[in-house]
Amino acid sequence: MRTRHLAAALLATAIAIPASSALAATDTATSAASASAASASAAQRGLIGDLITALISADLQRAVTVDGIRRHLTALQAIATANGGNRAAGLPGYKASVDYVKQRLQRAGYRVTLQPFQFDFFLETGTPEFERVSPSPRTYTANTDFATTLYSASTEVTGRVVPTSNIVLPPTPEPSSASGCEAADYPPETAGAIALIQRGTCTFAQKAEMAEAAGAIGVIIMNEGQPGRTDVIEGVGLGAPRPYPGVFTTFEVGNELYTQAQSGPVTVRIKVEAINEPRTTWNVIADTWSGNPNKIVTVGAHLDSVQVGPGINDNGSGTAANLEVAEQVGRRQLLLRNKVRFAFWGGEELGLLGSTHYVSTLSDAEKAKILLNLNFDMVGSPNYVRFVYDGNSSDTPDAGPDGSGLIENVFLAHFARKNLATAPTAFDGRSDYGPFIENGIPAGGLFSGAENVKTEAEARIYGGTAGQPYDACYHAPCDGIANISNTALDQFSDAIANSVIVFGMRRDPVVDTGEFAASAAKRATSAKRSPLFKGALTIR
């Protein structure tokens, strides 16, 4: 252990002793003047403690380099290349990624835990087929007109299309359709037929369960029809393995089938070839040797990729940045006040499975030990924006639990010190902070952008190309080692390193005060609003 690191850490710990502890042995009749002097002394110790924390943070930021992060990214790319082009949960590339991260953490001095869990594995093994047999035969194009729903049965069915009773056409300006959400929505003739269901207000899993109970032999879920809700979506899941095949279609395809069904029988054929079985995957978890085990800072990134690509930005970038930070913290053997838990989650792309499993296994007492969750999912997008999760919902609809505004402010202050602009991003359920905030644990983190398009205003602030996605290779085979911005890696990894030290050394509770706090009404509204996403899956 480096002497200067030990000295700085010991000093930071010593000077941050609460005044109540330092003065415990004084006479209870201490004069007002002495009490005032003690208070001033405590405040001075707090300022010095903050300074030492800043110095340790600066040292860690210097140690965490783009070259170091890219070495990890190169290793993850090599793993994907050697294993069918991906690192997806349930496939060999993911297990190799687990082994790599475990080995690197062990070399840095960590005791590593692999947390196994079972999940429903789904993999298409052939090109899906969907066609209207009658009237007016039409063959639909996969990934343009329709996409297979996850957890579809591997089978072929032909049957009559039976719409649910409450499809809303034309669609309302805002999402409102409750199509297929209740058992009463399915006419008796749904049994033995293929149900036509409209996307809307309840989850796809709920619709799928109701269709199964109604005896459907297949489902067609059509997009709802508002702007932004017209195209095909890949990654729509049925919640669990179903005994029937399903497809998600464009609004145009679904609307046409619905209109035809009002005039007479419509027959379609659906064919899906897939593996649909339980498999085991893992979370990788490692704690710092130092720090109060009753005060834990969880630092997470998902380790898995989608099945169609190597996932080097999504989320090799977050994995590699966190791994590099963990290695440098371990090598320095920093004497932290709070224990830092580095977690590399499995199965995020299938619906936040790893982080959900982890949180679900914690007792209430164990959950209470977690001060906060930091989440880093995509921090190297080539056309990046510096997005910070909007913990207090000052700019977006959903507030995080109490303390999330403070976390947000730590990132905002870090970037402000470096004269770097930021933009807010919402807690919309798209990453592994989800299970934590659902359990009242404050969370925050960073995001460099995915499939959405960069605006002219963003291009003026952050550079890059307006009118193009933040990451044109999001969930695609081209998300490889070339799909990374070194500038983004550099800036985001510094912010990650700083947040680990700031919260690893924090004396005070992680709660929102003043301008960091969301209103009680906002928090109540956020708690009631159901998420649109669960990781990569669109769930409603």
Side-chain angles (χ1 to χ4, degrees), residues 47 107 129 142 144 152 168 251 254 282 301 339 354 421 449 467 471 529:
L47 289 173
R107 287 180 180 176
E129 298 176 13
T144 300
S152 288
V168 180
F251 174 73
W282 302 266
K339 191 167 289 293
D471 181 357
R529 184 183 290 114

Side-chain angles (χ1 to χ4, degrees), residues 386 411-422 461-462 491:
R386 287 180 291 273
F411 289 112
L412 297 179
H414 168 83
F415 285 122
R417 285 193 299 270
K418 295 177 177 285
N419 199 31
L420 294 173
T422 58
I461 296 170
Y462 303 97
Q491 295 173 357

Side-chain angles (χ1 to χ4, degrees), residues 70 255 272 419 537:
R70 287 193 69 91
N255 187 33
V272 172
N419 199 31
L537 302 186

Side-chain angles (χ1 to χ4, degrees), residues 158-397:
T158 299
R160 179 184 174 185
V161 174
V162 176
T164 61
S165 61
N166 53 348
I167 289 176
V168 180
L169 293 174
T172 55
E174 296 296 326
S176 66
S177 176
S179 167
C181 297
E182 305 292 339
D185 299 340
Y186 296 85
E189 56 267 32
T190 302
I194 296 174
L196 176 62
I197 309 168
Q198 187 179 28
R199 182 187 185 186
T201 55
C202 70
T203 65
F204 298 125
Q206 184 175 340
K207 297 173 188 289
E209 184 177 355
M210 293 295 102
E212 182 176 344
I217 63 170
V219 297
I220 302 164
I221 303 177
M222 58 183 280
N223 215 336
E224 191 169 3
Q226 296 88 358
R229 292 167 76 89
T230 58
D231 296 340
V232 69
I233 300 175
E234 296 183 54
V236 167
L238 299 179
R242 302 295 173 185
Y244 54 71
V247 294
F248 184 93
T249 74
T250 64
F251 174 73
E252 182 270 327
V253 168
N255 187 33
E256 182 183 48
L257 290 172
Y258 176 84
T259 301
Q260 289 179 321
Q262 304 312 297
S263 302
V266 177
T267 302
V268 298
R269 183 179 70 90
I270 302 172
K271 181 181 179 181
V272 172
E273 296 178 295
I275 299 170
N276 210 336
E277 65 186 19
R279 291 192 179 181
T280 298
T281 193
W282 302 266
N283 294 324
V284 184
I285 299 171
D287 288 358
T288 53
W289 70 274
S290 65
N292 186 341
N294 294 315
K295 294 184 176 181
I296 298 171
V297 177
T298 303
V299 181
H302 76 84
L303 180 55
D304 62 315
S305 75
V306 292
Q307 294 175 353
V308 299
I312 299 305
N313 187 36
D314 182 20
N315 182 37
S317 60
T319 290
N322 283 7
L323 182 56
E324 180 69 6
V325 169
E327 285 186 324
Q328 296 301 334
V329 168
R331 289 168 184 163
R332 281 160 169 69
Q333 297 183 19
L334 295 178
L335 189 62
L336 301 172
R337 172 167 288 98
N338 307 315
K339 191 167 289 293
V340 176
R341 176 165 295 159
F342 291 98
F344 301 85
W345 309 118
E348 189 269 356
E349 299 288 8
L350 297 174
L352 313 183
L353 300 184
S355 54
T356 298
H357 175 77
Y358 169 78
V359 174
S360 72
T361 63
L362 300 176
S363 66
D364 289 343
E366 289 170 324
K367 291 175 189 174
K369 295 177 183 179
I370 300 178
L371 295 175
L372 69 152
N373 171 249
L374 300 174
N375 186 74
F376 305 106
D377 186 353
M378 301 179 66
V379 295
S381 302
N383 200 25
Y384 68 92
V385 166
R386 287 180 291 273
F387 288 114
V388 178
Y389 289 118
D390 185 15
N392 62 359
S393 72
S394 56
D395 298 285
T396 61

Side-chain angles (χ1 to χ4, degrees), residues 2-23:
R2 300 184 185 182
T3 303
R4 71 174 186 274
H5 297 146
L6 176 60
L10 287 172
L11 180 57
T13 303
I15 62 180
I17 295 174
S20 58
S21 299
L23 302 177

